[in-house]
Amino acid sequence: MDKKFAFAELEKYRKISTRNYEFSFTKKKSGYSVNKHGKVIEIASATKNDLLRAYNYALGLIKNDVDQRCTYSSHFDELIGMIDLARNAVLSVNYFKQQICRLAGLGYTEIWLYLEDEFAIPEEPYFGMQRGRYSQAELHELAVYADKLGVTLVPAIQALAHLKNVFKWEHFNDIADTTDNLYIGKRKTREFVKRELIAATKPFLTNKIHLGMDEAHNLGLGRYFFDHGTIDQYGLMKQHVEMVFELCKELNLKPMMWSDMWFEIGSPTHMMYDPQANLKEFKVDPQIGQVYWDYYSTDVNHYLPVMKKHFELTDNVYFAMGIWTWGRLAPNQSKMLATIKAGMIAAKKAGIKKIATTAWRDDGAETPFAASYLGWQVFSDYQYEDQPEQREFANNFKMMQDEDFTSYMLLDQFDNPRSITNEKDMIPSKLLLYEDLMQPRYYQNLKHGDFSEYYHELTQKLSDVVPSEYSGLLFNYYIQLALVLSKKAHLMNDLINKKYSLGELSDYRAELQDLADQRMHLWFNENKSNGSEILDIRFGGMLQRIRTVSDLIERNQFQMDLPTKEMDKHIDDEFGNGRYFEIVSPSDISW
């Protein structure tokens, strides 16, 4: 870490001057302490990452003109953030640097870049083409910047499954088993993985790499099966892992992988992360880090037996949680808080020393990245406090990110009308936004709530938020989203009750267009242009649908087709969940 550079970046990023303040720095055995008295600030820290968090906190004390003495110990050896860059949204280099600085100031030690095909392989021009892939130079620039802030950037790729965006190209047919799994055992497969490993690691300043290899449920059940007949999934998994690990040794890399497939293959019922799985027969190289990912439970006792089971594979165990930004329009803050609390208590009890949190962006990256800021704060606070609560989160969020806890918790209300933990991850906001005006698939489910009034009240609450300069665009967008949802619910009720108003349709279309414009403004503030076409298609489709409905009403041909039964897929609560293509139409988006 370049301490002078790191301090200057934090000051520039937070727009705080330390002129006329006297700092002193000493060593501490664990964690950090800050003592501010007037213009004198004393900082003690154990590691470079603790130092950056302490300095960032001191900047908050300066900005808020507060004198305070505080001291913290650290609970884990590594505090890791994983950023999804493969679900249409690829952070621009400049915006990514801002987020590296943000996480460095929270004490993160590593950032894993989940890339899939979002990095350039010189010998593979189809790999990531038109998807916003990072060039080798861009990744190196990011790695060097992070290193100056004491943070290690680590590439996270897929060396087995989750390759559907690669296999869309006929060029890769020879190495595809299923639509997203590699064909095990082929020479061409080995050659491809080697090129992938070289290109993924060359720009970085570490030899660590995350290999993925999760959720390969159909391993060997595609072309491989037709070529070879009966298959042994464990044998194939072991064969492939050994091949990839040999390549890692050849290239002097330190690999880690998701651990779920060992459990699924070893489970008598093929259950993911079955605590009864037989792992003893698996001779997994103990040098391969095994990353236990589990984002879903709010029960400490759910995690503990699986964590302990991991040590049968290796002592090199990581635990990864999630900050609930995926598949939705706004983050599930209540579930984020509850699952991280349970998982972190369990990790501390189980003796796991390397923890990560993930910000996935499934189904089109509809949640802006800026909506994840509270999640990064909450997760990092468990590094330095045993069991932090709302008071600590709110104080640290203000002191370290200049953001308001209560305001960010309002985002939870988009999908949580009952104001308890949204444990079933229902997403009424997304269902309502994409519901078709003539054949609403979730009509019976959404009858459970008065969403016109509910989102009208949320609009008013959000309008009272005083955002920071970094979250102004975000809250303007969410104010407009709440307004649009309120109007959409009212419009749907009127159409269902045959109260047709072209004026109401025109007003709704204008507000929806404003929402689309604000979402694109946010997109280009955060991301490269690639992937923005997905949201353009979704918003454009809704806008055109309003024109169609208006035309049918004018010609007296409008008629709704209302379902008599509730949607029965992804319904674990009264409202349910669904991806875009499952909501917008009962017909396939493409055939």
Side-chain angles (χ1 to χ4, degrees), residues 414-439:
F414 277 95
D415 295 318
N416 195 4
R418 295 179 305 181
S419 297
I420 59 176
T421 300
N422 185 5
E423 191 163 355
K424 298 296 184 181
D425 194 34
M426 53 189 179
I427 53 169
S429 66
K430 183 168 177 172
L431 303 180
L432 177 58
L433 180 67
Y434 290 135
E435 278 279 79
D436 187 72
L437 294 173
M438 287 195 282
Q439 46 190 39

Side-chain angles (χ1 to χ4, degrees), residues 375-574:
W376 300 117
Q377 184 71 58
V378 167
F379 189 75
S380 71
D381 287 349
Y382 279 93
Q383 162 73 313
Y384 296 99
E385 303 193 42
D386 189 23
Q387 290 191 39
E389 299 294 342
Q390 178 175 330
R391 178 183 173 185
E392 288 77 27
F393 298 142
N395 175 72
N396 292 338
F397 199 34
K398 180 180 180 180
M399 290 296 176
M400 298 184 191
Q401 298 194 55
D402 303 316
E403 300 292 355
D404 180 64
F405 177 87
T406 302
S407 299
Y408 263 75
M409 284 304 298
L410 284 175
L411 303 184
D412 190 68
Q413 294 186 23
F414 277 95
D415 295 318
N416 195 4
R418 295 179 305 181
S419 297
I420 59 176
T421 300
N422 185 5
E423 191 163 355
K424 298 296 184 181
D425 194 34
M426 53 189 179
I427 53 169
S429 66
K430 183 168 177 172
L431 303 180
L432 177 58
L433 180 67
Y434 290 135
E435 278 279 79
D436 187 72
L437 294 173
M438 287 195 282
Q439 46 190 39
R441 301 197 76 193
Y442 285 81
Y443 163 70
Q444 296 290 350
N445 303 79
L446 295 176
K447 284 170 65 177
H448 294 299
D450 180 1
F451 287 110
S452 178
E453 180 61 24
Y454 177 77
Y455 286 116
H456 173 69
E457 292 178 1
L458 182 56
T459 305
Q460 294 178 317
K461 293 176 186 177
L462 288 165
S463 297
D464 291 335
V465 167
V466 179
S468 78
E469 60 187 295
Y470 293 105
S471 57
L473 289 176
L474 182 78
F475 280 99
N476 285 340
Y477 164 71
Y478 277 122
I479 291 168
Q480 187 64 20
L481 175 60
L483 175 64
V484 164
L485 291 172
S486 177
K487 288 183 175 292
K488 174 72 175 286
H490 190 275
L491 173 62
M492 293 298 293
N493 287 334
D494 280 356
L495 291 175
I496 289 165
N497 292 306
K498 299 183 179 179
K499 297 179 181 178
Y500 305 143
S501 168
L502 295 178
E504 184 179 9
L505 279 162
S506 177
D507 176 56
Y508 175 65
R509 190 178 195 283
E511 298 293 358
L512 183 62
Q513 181 65 65
D514 189 6
L515 182 68
D517 293 343
Q518 290 199 43
R519 186 63 188 92
M520 279 300 104
H521 192 185
L522 257 175
W523 182 282
F524 287 103
N525 185 60
E526 297 181 345
N527 307 307
K528 294 186 176 186
S529 62
N530 307 82
S532 62
E533 73 277 5
I534 299 300
L535 292 188
D536 278 349
I537 289 166
R538 294 180 185 184
F539 278 101
M542 290 189 288
L543 290 165
Q544 177 59 38
R545 195 64 166 158
I546 296 168
R547 294 183 64 178
T548 299
V549 169
S550 298
D551 183 65
L552 290 173
I553 289 173
E554 283 187 310
R555 292 191 280 120
N556 201 29
Q557 293 180 357
F558 179 77
Q559 185 174 357
M560 296 192 80
D561 184 2
L562 298 177
T564 58
K565 304 289 290 183
E566 292 187 349
M567 268 290 291
D568 63 352
K569 190 174 185 180
H570 313 307
I571 306 297
D572 293 326
D573 216 307
E574 61 259 55

Side-chain angles (χ1 to χ4, degrees), residues 130-146:
Q130 294 185 308
R131 290 248 298 144
R133 63 190 173 197
Y134 290 113
S135 68
Q136 296 275 300
E138 286 175 322
L139 289 174
H140 185 65
E141 181 181 347
L142 289 168
V144 170
Y145 178 80

Side-chain angles (χ1 to χ4, degrees), residues 338-389:
T339 54
I340 287 179
K341 180 178 181 178
M344 290 299 94
I345 291 172
K348 289 170 182 177
K349 285 185 177 181
I352 290 177
K353 289 298 181 182
K354 292 178 281 192
I355 57 168
T357 193
T358 58
W360 298 111
R361 311 192 77 182
D362 302 42
D363 200 23
E366 292 170 317
T367 298
F369 190 86
S372 70
Y373 293 169
L374 178 59
W376 300 117
Q377 184 71 58
V378 167
F379 189 75
S380 71
D381 287 349
Y382 279 93
Q383 162 73 313
Y384 296 99
E385 303 193 42
D386 189 23
Q387 290 191 39
E389 299 294 342

Side-chain angles (χ1 to χ4, degrees), residues 137-374:
E138 286 175 322
L139 289 174
H140 185 65
E141 181 181 347
L142 289 168
V144 170
Y145 178 80
D147 185 65
K148 289 181 178 180
L149 291 169
V151 177
T152 302
L153 293 198
V154 177
I157 65 170
Q158 286 292 352
L160 176 58
H162 284 293
L163 291 169
K164 68 176 183 178
N165 281 312
V166 176
F167 294 155
K168 287 176 182 176
W169 300 104
E170 188 175 349
H171 174 78
F172 295 103
N173 280 359
D174 284 348
I175 60 171
D177 175 20
T178 64
T179 54
D180 67 348
N181 282 5
L182 283 168
Y183 193 115
I184 305 300
K186 275 192 173 184
R187 177 180 56 81
K188 287 185 177 181
T189 299
R190 186 182 191 279
E191 292 170 350
F192 167 77
V193 173
K194 184 174 182 178
R195 288 194 293 273
E196 193 182 21
L197 291 173
I198 292 171
T201 56
K202 186 177 180 181
F204 293 88
L205 306 182
T206 178
N207 59 357
K208 293 180 70 172
I209 184 170
H210 195 308
L211 301 168
M213 302 208 208
D214 59 311
E215 296 183 311
H217 309 300
N218 296 319
L219 182 65
L221 297 178
R223 292 176 180 172
Y224 188 97
F225 176 80
F226 289 102
D227 290 345
H228 298 275
T230 304
I231 58 105
D232 169 16
Q233 280 197 319
Y234 164 62
L236 283 178
M237 186 76 186
K238 186 172 184 294
Q239 176 187 349
H240 188 70
V241 170
E242 287 177 350
M243 182 273 288
V244 176
F245 190 55
E246 284 174 6
L247 287 173
C248 288
K249 283 184 175 178
E250 179 184 327
L251 299 170
N252 192 33
L253 303 178
K254 292 183 178 179
M256 65 188 104
M257 62 182 288
W258 303 117
S259 59
D260 55 288
M261 287 305 296
W262 301 121
F263 282 79
E264 189 166 332
I265 294 169
S267 167
T269 58
H270 302 288
M271 183 178 86
M272 183 177 288
Y273 287 129
D274 184 352
Q276 305 303 319
N278 179 14
L279 304 181
K280 292 181 180 178
E281 65 181 272
F282 300 158
K283 305 300 180 185
V284 182
D285 193 308
Q287 294 183 57
I288 304 177
Q290 298 294 328
V291 188
Y292 168 33
W293 62 272
D294 197 337
Y295 324 129
Y296 303 100
S297 181
T298 58
D299 180 6
V300 174
N301 292 320
H302 163 85
Y303 298 106
L304 276 172
V306 184
M307 287 176 172
K308 293 175 181 177
K309 194 79 174 175
H310 272 76
F311 289 101
E312 293 181 17
L313 292 171
T314 178
D315 289 333
N316 190 12
V317 178
Y318 295 74
F319 177 50
M321 302 211 69
I323 55 178
W324 284 93
T325 52
W326 57 90
R328 54 199 314 106
L329 303 175
N332 186 344
Q333 308 283 45
S334 58
K335 186 156 187 174
M336 176 272 291
L337 288 167
T339 54
I340 287 179
K341 180 178 181 178
M344 290 299 94
I345 291 172
K348 289 170 182 177
K349 285 185 177 181
I352 290 177
K353 289 298 181 182
K354 292 178 281 192
I355 57 168
T357 193
T358 58
W360 298 111
R361 311 192 77 182
D362 302 42
D363 200 23
E366 292 170 317
T367 298
F369 190 86
S372 70
Y373 293 169
L374 178 59

